[in-house]
Amino acid sequence: DSLELSVACGEVPLLFLGWAIMCAPHAQAAMAQDLGLDDPEEGDNLYEFVEEFCMKPEVLCNFLRLVESDYSKENPYHNGIHASDVMQTTFALLQMGGDKFSSSPLELFSLLLAAACHDMGHPGRNNSFEVNSHSELSVIYNDSSVLENMHAARACRLLTRQPGDADLNADILVGLQKTQKEAFRASFTKAILCTDMSQHFAKVAQLKSKISHFGTSDPLKFYVNSDGRSMSCVLQFILHLADISNPAKPAPVFVEWCDRCLNEFFAQGDAEKKAYMPVSPMCDRDVTVKSDSQLGFIKFIVRPSFVLLSDLVPRAVDEILPILESNLRYWEDVKLKEEEEAEEEEEEGKP
């Protein structure tokens, strides 16, 4: 639970979680030592990026501090807690079996860092707002995946910056060869761009077609050509699912995330009304019904996506889909209660 983690670690959940994931097993050994415990046994589920890419843990922590500082704490939803939640969920889906669709540690390294960076600099407004307001960002990125392009650009700028004497050393790619850096940036950037919700149904259709034609046994069949490079569409889909996974979290976490998301949406809707702009879907606090928003999101977006993923990652059948079904029933009960209360109020209002 990234919400609880944020409270426990002094509101720097991305720093703590990113260190634990990217610096394993050294991070776990350090935690055990600090707590006076025996060193944890090394398992098969650790990626050991520190050795693989000659990365210093303190440099990785510097990088994560800078990334986390670029997330606005004023945003109810798109903040550092969300980034840490997406990174943790991406890691969990990989550990459940998604990592078999990777052909190299570099792909996993880039995907997990993309999860951490995927919403850097988020303004608390969506792409529709940027486009309809003719913002500077919409002009720069030609109304195409405006925020996702901005997030990727800010992250890549941080990855390639040349620090001065007073700056933190955050060059986590220093141990990579030139060709590795090029491959990293390509897959890292593409993964962030694939979090654009406007691409959702196209990505689902692409994955369904792959499964229909090739089955699920050969991970190499799920690689696609993207700008001259071969990339795993499954790994990209995993990050996208992690980004929309709040309804698949246990109670009461999924309700808290729903409230945070709608609060940010409603703030955008208020701004749109004030500027005489079209109010974006789910952003009008006067007409949006919470239960309806979640029922539609789960039924038409989240559940079908995780059902599709379960064909590739079978553990999702027992570990994710039951939670989704339970949460769906919760919102159905809320909806039923709302309707009953509305009927009672209508009856009381009759002469």
Side-chain angles (χ1 to χ4, degrees):
D1 178 3
S2 294
L3 295 165
E4 187 174 341
L5 175 63
S6 179
V7 175
C9 68
E11 298 186 347
V12 286
L14 187 59
L15 169 61
F16 186 84
L17 184 80
W19 169 66
I21 291 174
M22 305 303 292
C23 293
H26 305 283
Q28 287 68 28
M31 286 186 275
Q33 182 179 12
D34 188 63
L35 295 171
L37 303 175
D38 294 333
D39 286 346
E41 295 182 5
E42 293 188 15
D44 297 330
N45 59 343
L46 301 176
Y47 297 130
E48 301 187 5
F49 295 131
V50 171
E51 285 76 19
E52 184 73 35
F53 302 116
C54 301
M55 181 179 65
K56 294 182 178 180
E58 58 269 27
V59 174
L60 183 277
C61 288
N62 288 341
F63 175 77
L64 290 171
R65 286 187 181 95
L66 293 172
V67 171
E68 194 155 28
S69 69
D70 204 38
Y71 283 93
S72 173
K73 293 185 178 181
E74 300 301 315
N75 292 342
Y77 183 79
H78 288 102
N79 51 39
I81 307 175
H82 168 68
S84 67
D85 182 68
V86 172
M87 188 180 194
Q88 189 276 331
T89 304
T90 300
F91 177 72
L93 293 175
L94 292 174
Q95 293 283 288
M96 289 169 64
D99 55 4
K100 74 178 181 181
F101 293 93
S102 164
S103 62
S104 71
L106 185 63
E107 286 184 316
L108 300 175
F109 184 66
S110 63
L111 186 74
L112 287 164
L113 286 173
C117 300
H118 81 283
D119 272 334
M120 283 180 63
H122 201 291
R125 306 287 190 263
N126 64 20
N127 281 332
S128 293
F129 185 93
E130 297 296 329
V131 172
N132 290 333
S133 65
H134 307 293
S135 70
E136 182 180 358
L137 287 176
S138 72
V139 173
I140 292 173
Y141 297 112
N142 298 309
D143 296 345
S144 178
S145 298
V146 175
L147 292 179
E148 291 74 23
N149 273 296
M150 180 268 287
H151 303 319
R154 292 176 80 99
C156 287
R157 191 176 298 117
L158 177 58
L159 284 164
T160 58
R161 75 170 192 163
Q162 298 297 319
D165 294 337
D167 293 327
L168 292 173
N169 178 9
D171 187 1
I172 59 173
L173 306 182
V174 67
L176 274 63
Q177 300 297 319
K178 183 176 184 294
T179 54
Q180 287 181 307
K181 289 182 180 180
E182 292 172 351
F184 170 91
R185 182 175 179 183
S187 58
F188 173 85
T189 302
K190 187 63 176 179
I192 293 177
L193 294 179
C194 284
T195 61
D196 184 352
M197 271 301 300
S198 70
Q199 299 183 22
H200 172 79
F201 291 105
K203 292 297 181 184
V204 168
Q206 179 188 54
L207 210 50
K208 283 183 176 180
S209 176
K210 289 282 187 181
I211 293 173
S212 174
H213 282 86
F214 305 116
T216 61
S217 60
D218 186 357
L220 294 179
K221 297 295 185 182
F222 292 89
Y223 276 75
V224 296
N225 184 282
S226 177
D227 298 325
R229 292 183 179 274
S230 183
M231 299 184 186
S232 172
C233 61
V234 175
L235 295 184
Q236 294 171 0
F237 192 66
I238 282 175
L239 175 54
H240 169 54
L241 281 197
D243 195 25
I244 61 171
S245 67
N246 297 147
K249 301 297 168 63
V253 176
F254 73 95
V255 179
E256 172 68 16
W257 279 119
C258 169
D259 289 340
R260 285 172 171 264
C261 188
L262 287 179
N263 284 340
E264 189 167 300
F265 283 2
F266 293 159
Q268 172 177 318
D270 294 343
E272 287 170 329
K273 291 177 182 178
K274 187 175 181 179
Y276 299 101
M277 292 164 52
V279 179
S280 301
M282 301 300 160
C283 293
D284 192 333
R285 67 174 71 246
D286 297 322
V287 300
T288 299
V289 178
K290 184 195 298 188
S291 58
D292 285 340
S293 72
Q294 296 308 293
L295 287 170
F297 190 43
I298 294 173
K299 288 181 179 179
F300 299 110
I301 302 292
V302 182
R303 182 170 62 178
S305 299
F306 275 102
V307 169
L308 180 61
L309 182 71
S310 70
D311 290 338
L312 303 164
V313 182
R315 282 178 58 182
V317 173
D318 295 324
E319 298 182 34
I320 297 177
L321 295 184
I323 298 174
L324 262 174
E325 294 301 327
S326 175
N327 294 348
L328 183 61
R329 289 193 296 271
Y330 170 87
W331 291 117
E332 288 173 339
D333 290 342
V334 170
K335 176 65 175 176
L336 181 60
K337 185 177 180 180
E338 289 172 344
E339 291 174 345
E340 290 174 347
E341 291 175 349
E343 289 177 2
E344 290 176 1
E345 290 177 2
E346 185 177 349
E347 287 296 323
E348 291 174 357
K350 290 182 178 179

